[in-house]
Amino acid sequence: MKRIYMDHSATTPLDPQVLEAMLPYFSEKFGNASSLHSFGLEAKEALEDSREKVAALLGAKAEEIIFTSGGTESDNLALKGIAYKNRDKGKHIITTNFEHPAIMETCRALTKEGFAVTYLPVTADGLVDPAALEAAIRPDTILISVMHANNEIGTIQPIEEIGRIAADKDIYLHTDAVQSVGKIPVDVSALGVDLLSLSAHKLYGPKGVGALYIRRGSRIAAITQGGGHERGLRSGTENIPGIVGLGRAAQLCDERMADDGRRLSSLSERLAGKVLHRVKESWVNGSMKRRLPGSLNFGFKYVEGESLLLFLDSKGIAVSTGSACSSHKLEPSHVLLSLGLSPELCHGSLRITMGRSNTEEEADYVADCIAEAVERFRGISALGRD
């Protein structure tokens, strides 16, 4: 049975060219980048070369890139680092009510340390209203954190407009861009962000490595202590093979993004059109206009998303019902709840995120299987119909 992978928002397969770039740094080029001999200098050169490649993808300067273990650590460093270093100016943070758990849980932790957090609602299309954000700003607001693209529904936020508001009010702006970097153009200057998180395994790189962009001049504190690596902000011997992989993945994304984006947008339209035409009482959650290429989140009445997922898996198709970080939780998605959906409708969701290897034939097969599954499960559903 052919296996079809359509869960690229959870993780992506390692690009063969990325693996090829990484392999020497597991064996013959194994030096510590802090060592002064030739082995260390070789590792240091690879580290800085990768920093240049990541910076180029973001339109940033190399010295503004800090390597981390991934998106979660980057988010923690951004929020806690800014909060701790700037608490003398205020203790108010603004975010949204449909952020990734790495942001939500960090904000909850900061409230226990005396910080106040405002959680902005989003529209039924899954978008933040910049006017509402501006109205939430207080004299003691020190940080705004709004994700660039949502991990469950793929909607792209108006970060440029939010960036102008933050700059006008002299407030730090962070964006979790884990889902968007490598899929759509991300230029830190155009967005107007001071901090940006990314993760290698979302852009065909290895797991366990990521980066945080920190605009030069930003006041930020380290949240771990040690030997002072990464400008003193992220101590610990650098993961050189992983960082080399991230650098090569960033370079490949820069080269392929336009072509990949056009093809994946076409695949999304094809798949969505077939599913919505064949399955009654179905819809796509979130805006169809402001959406990552290849990203779809379907809603179906009278059927459980988990049942659909398991049926599709039996057909060789890998999808999800929400974010990978929340896939074992029984409660409805906080992202879908934020759109105004009832808990019952939230449980009827299916997230499909396509990538470089997916084809039109696969999209058609997935649409057929979804239609078959919905018809089968609605026939035996305990949810019933009015």
Side-chain angles (χ1 to χ4, degrees):
M1 179 174 61
K2 182 180 179 181
R3 301 176 72 200
I4 298 173
Y5 186 76
M6 289 194 176
D7 197 17
H8 290 80
S9 284
T11 196
T12 55
L14 190 70
D15 189 287
Q17 295 183 64
V18 172
L19 177 61
E20 182 181 4
M22 293 172 65
L23 285 176
Y25 294 91
F26 286 110
S27 51
E28 65 264 27
K29 299 181 180 183
F30 58 83
N32 185 322
S34 296
S35 299
L36 297 180
H37 46 61
S38 60
F39 290 85
L41 294 176
E42 188 175 50
K44 180 70 171 179
E45 182 179 0
L47 174 70
E48 298 308 326
D49 178 65
S50 297
R51 203 184 307 276
E52 292 277 359
K53 290 173 180 174
V54 173
L57 182 63
L58 303 177
K61 301 179 179 67
E63 61 268 23
E64 296 174 316
I65 303 300
I66 299 297
F67 289 114
T68 67
S69 64
T72 293
E73 185 186 349
S74 293
D75 285 345
N76 272 261
L77 176 55
L79 270 62
K80 292 180 179 178
I82 291 295
Y84 295 160
K85 191 69 172 180
N86 296 275
R87 69 173 88 203
D88 57 321
K89 294 184 176 181
K91 293 187 175 183
H92 181 234
I93 298 167
I94 298 173
T95 188
T96 78
N97 62 4
F98 83 149
E99 297 291 313
H100 188 276
I103 296 295
M104 303 290 280
E105 294 302 321
T106 301
C107 285
R108 291 189 184 105
L110 286 170
T111 60
K112 296 177 181 179
E113 299 184 50
F115 290 88
V117 181
T118 295
Y119 298 92
L120 297 172
V122 294
T123 66
D125 280 341
L127 300 172
V128 175
D129 179 3
L133 183 146
E134 186 169 14
I137 293 174
R138 308 184 333 197
D140 61 339
T141 304
I142 56 172
L143 174 65
I144 298 168
S145 182
V146 176
M147 67 191 336
H148 192 203
N150 186 263
N151 53 303
E152 291 193 34
I153 62 174
T155 51
I156 302 169
Q157 300 303 323
I159 298 298
E160 299 94 331
E161 191 171 350
I162 294 170
R164 288 192 290 270
I165 294 169
D168 183 60
K169 302 291 185 179
D170 195 25
I171 298 169
Y172 285 111
L173 174 60
H174 165 257
T175 189
D176 179 333
V178 165
Q179 291 294 343
S180 60
V181 170
K183 298 174 185 175
I184 59 174
V186 176
D187 185 291
V188 291
S189 295
L191 292 176
V193 297
D194 300 293
L195 306 103
L196 179 148
S197 304
L198 64 90
S199 183
H201 78 103
K202 306 292 189 180
L203 46 93
Y204 304 91
K207 297 173 180 64
V209 62
L212 177 65
Y213 158 77
I214 306 173
R215 186 180 297 279
R216 185 176 181 179
S218 299
R219 298 179 69 238
I220 184 168
I223 60 174
T224 57
Q225 283 67 51
H229 307 75
E230 294 298 290
R231 287 173 39 209
L233 290 174
R234 205 274 181 174
S235 291
T237 300
E238 295 91 351
N239 172 11
I240 299 300
I243 289 169
V244 167
L246 171 54
R248 182 62 176 136
Q251 189 178 44
L252 290 171
C253 283
D254 216 3
E255 296 169 359
R256 300 189 52 159
M257 191 185 308
D259 290 341
D260 285 347
R262 282 190 292 269
R263 194 179 65 82
L264 289 173
S265 293
S266 177
L267 278 182
S268 291
E269 292 175 7
R270 185 185 185 97
L271 178 55
K274 288 180 177 294
V275 170
L276 298 179
H277 175 72
R278 295 186 58 182
V279 181
K280 294 181 179 180
E281 297 185 279
S282 65
W283 63 92
V284 174
N285 290 305
S287 169
M288 282 299 291
K289 293 181 179 179
R290 294 184 61 89
R291 173 180 296 275
L292 290 174
S295 178
L296 293 167
N297 188 299
F298 288 106
F300 304 99
K301 280 189 175 181
Y302 316 118
V303 66
E304 291 281 344
E306 187 172 330
S307 298
L308 295 177
L309 183 153
L310 294 174
F311 178 88
L312 293 175
D313 190 50
S314 73
K315 297 287 189 178
I317 302 165
V319 297
S320 73
T321 56
S323 85
C325 300
S326 306
S327 59
H328 299 293
K329 297 180 180 180
L330 296 177
E331 62 265 24
S333 159
H334 75 283
V335 170
L336 297 182
L337 287 173
S338 73
L339 304 183
L341 296 180
S342 67
E344 188 175 84
L345 291 180
C346 290
H347 282 301
S349 68
L350 199 67
R351 183 182 74 172
I352 297 176
T353 47
M354 293 172 279
R356 289 175 183 167
S357 65
N358 294 129
T359 65
E360 289 186 351
E361 292 74 19
E362 289 177 342
D364 293 346
Y365 175 68
V366 170
D368 290 341
C369 289
I370 289 174
E372 178 186 350
V374 172
E375 182 179 2
R376 173 181 297 191
F377 290 118
R378 279 180 177 170
I380 59 174
S381 174
L383 295 174
R385 301 189 188 204
D386 295 332

